[in-house]
Amino acid sequence: MINKTEINTHLEYLGYTTDLNNNDEIYAAKPGCPSIIVETYEHMIVIRGAYNKNSNALNDRLGFLEYVNRLNKNSRTALFTDQGESLGLYTSMYGPYQRNTFAVMMRAWEYDLGEYIHGREMTNVYLSPDCPEIDKELLSIPENDRILA
């Protein structure tokens, strides 16, 4: 069985504020990263998180799904999914907890959720709360017929 205390200590070392709750899930938060939930199973560690969508993502489902596909195409470890009101984030590590392997996974996770996602042009359009709304009339025009200003 994977030792949650070791993982909790490792997350604290990496700068996360952690809380090991009654269900033995680890809730962790770090400035600049979304809050995460770490779950452990007999031979697997699962990390989940989410970014809230803005109205553009909710109104332009096709565009948002294209954005999610582009994120998944080049991410190092994170799997990005549409979770209704949010952009879901997921990764997992199989096998026993090993400090070096977990550290490499967390570096890749933090890259995907920091520099990688924020370097994408459409991140502000779909995730930023202060982004201007996309013209809804433009969304009803097939993509091939849209005229870019």
Side-chain angles (χ1 to χ4, degrees):
M1 190 69 173
I2 294 175
N3 186 329
K4 292 172 190 66
T5 305
E6 286 182 287
I7 295 169
N8 192 65
T9 301
H10 196 146
L11 289 169
E12 288 173 344
Y13 173 78
L14 294 173
Y16 287 84
T17 301
T18 63
D19 178 27
L20 188 60
N21 75 6
N22 294 337
N23 296 329
D24 290 331
E25 295 174 330
I26 302 169
Y27 291 95
K30 180 177 181 177
C33 294
S35 296
I36 59 174
I37 298 172
V38 180
E39 298 170 294
T40 59
Y41 300 94
E42 188 171 344
H43 298 289
M44 183 169 72
I45 300 168
V46 174
I47 300 175
R48 295 182 288 118
Y51 278 117
N52 290 328
K53 293 183 199 175
N54 64 22
S55 61
N56 291 331
L58 298 172
N59 293 329
D60 181 17
R61 181 163 169 71
L62 179 60
F64 179 74
L65 291 175
E66 289 172 357
Y67 164 71
V68 171
N69 284 339
R70 277 185 251 122
L71 288 175
N72 283 323
K73 183 178 178 183
N74 293 311
S75 70
R76 291 182 179 176
T77 190
L79 172 67
F80 299 92
T81 61
D82 180 13
Q83 296 292 317
E85 300 278 322
S86 62
L87 171 66
L89 318 164
Y90 173 89
T91 193
S92 59
M93 184 177 100
Y94 295 90
Y97 166 80
Q98 294 176 342
R99 187 179 61 204
N100 292 339
T101 306
F102 187 77
V104 168
M105 183 187 74
M106 289 305 297
R107 261 195 311 273
W109 172 260
E110 289 179 357
Y111 172 82
D112 283 349
L113 305 189
E115 185 178 331
Y116 174 68
I117 194 170
H118 293 292
R120 308 281 65 83
E121 177 183 342
M122 300 308 287
T123 295
N124 285 338
V125 172
Y126 293 122
L127 301 181
S128 177
D130 58 353
C131 183
E133 285 194 31
I134 296 173
D135 183 350
K136 292 178 185 173
E137 288 184 27
L138 179 64
L139 295 177
S140 66
I141 301 171
E143 187 171 349
N144 292 341
D145 296 335
R146 294 181 192 168
I147 299 171
L148 300 176

